Amino acid sequence: MQGDDAELTAAVRAAQDGDETAFRTVYRSVHPRLLGYVRTLVGEPDAEDITSEAWLQIARDLGRFSGDADRFRGWAARIARNRALDHIRMRGRRPAIGGDETELEGRPADADTADQALEALGTDRTLGLIARLPQDQAEAVVLRVVLGLDAKSAAAVLGKRPGAVRTAAHRGLRRLADLLGGAGGGDAAVLDGVPAQRESHSGTAGAAGVTDSRTRTQKDM
């Protein structure tokens, strides 16, 4: 377990024992990325409120959680996603899903560019471009790149197969490269030439407060 993950795991366990300082540590570590995920689902105006509601549920149900940092991020993402979908249903709106995902399930991605996406851009600009992707791709990219989940954990959040999530994330990142190219540029080249099936996650400190930076090998990849 990497240092950042070990610290988050320890903080989660201390928070479960009632340590308020530890809970604040958990919140500061996870909240900016969780907020970015909710923004891809509901847009900017409602994201803060929905993420706050998710944290109320996280705090309430924390005692029933079991697992390490990766499992906590996935658990928090599922709670936030359910809150966002409830909000969408109440407003009579549905997320715009791009394409038929059944075609993705049997097709592995030919490369994993997740570690490159946030290196190419500042966090705010990245999230703005990700929000322009088809919804299935946007969710896959944010879960994998911003929240740092592996394909298996992201699939559990979305109720999909890991292969479908890997391919949706890959397609989304390639679309992101196209958007960068259309914007003029030079950053798009950073998304090319990544070795096949290399698993890595990287975050960039930016205005949105995303600060995690790590490289890990996932067994399920």
Side-chain angles (χ1 to χ4, degrees):
M1 184 180 296
Q2 299 294 317
D4 289 340
D5 276 0
E7 291 175 10
L8 179 57
T9 298
V12 168
R13 291 173 181 168
Q16 289 179 304
D17 291 333
D19 187 330
E20 293 183 4
T21 299
F23 186 83
R24 286 194 291 270
T25 298
V26 172
Y27 179 87
R28 286 195 299 268
S29 175
V30 177
H31 174 73
R33 289 172 285 176
L34 197 64
L35 177 60
Y37 176 44
V38 174
R39 281 175 178 153
T40 68
L41 295 170
V42 301
E44 182 66 36
D46 299 316
E48 290 276 2
D49 288 344
I50 291 168
T51 308
S52 295
E53 291 173 4
W55 276 107
L56 289 174
Q57 184 176 344
I58 290 166
R60 186 188 68 210
D61 296 344
L62 187 59
R64 298 202 293 269
F65 169 76
S66 177
D68 60 8
D70 270 342
R71 286 184 177 272
F72 180 81
R73 281 189 288 263
W75 179 68
R78 284 195 298 274
I79 289 174
R81 186 174 195 266
N82 288 339
R83 289 283 183 172
L85 294 180
D86 285 345
H87 173 80
I88 289 167
R89 281 190 289 267
M90 285 194 308
R91 290 291 182 92
R93 293 182 288 111
R94 299 180 63 182
I97 305 297
D100 180 4
E101 294 174 14
T102 59
E103 68 174 301
L104 303 178
E105 294 179 355
R107 300 177 58 185
D110 59 2
D112 188 342
T113 58
D115 62 320
Q116 306 298 323
L118 293 184
E119 292 175 2
L121 295 169
T123 301
D124 284 343
R125 187 181 172 207
T126 303
L127 290 174
L129 290 176
I130 289 171
R132 294 167 58 184
L133 300 174
Q135 189 72 32
D136 61 315
Q137 294 177 13
E139 286 198 69
V141 168
V142 174
L143 287 172
R144 305 234 25 227
V145 178
V146 181
L147 274 165
L149 302 184
D150 61 24
K152 183 177 179 180
S153 298
V157 173
L158 298 174
K160 304 181 189 303
R161 297 179 183 178
V165 173
R166 277 193 294 265
T167 307
H170 174 72
R171 289 186 173 184
L173 288 166
R174 289 303 176 189
R175 287 199 180 200
L176 183 59
D178 290 340
L179 290 172
L180 290 171
D187 291 332
V190 181
L191 298 177
D192 294 327
V194 181
Q197 300 302 323
R198 181 162 64 88
E199 174 66 8
S200 172
H201 301 288
S202 177
T204 307
V210 180
T211 57
D212 189 26
S213 179
R214 57 208 172 102
T215 301
R216 307 183 285 160
T217 299
Q218 299 294 347
K219 294 180 180 179
D220 72 325
M221 296 301 291

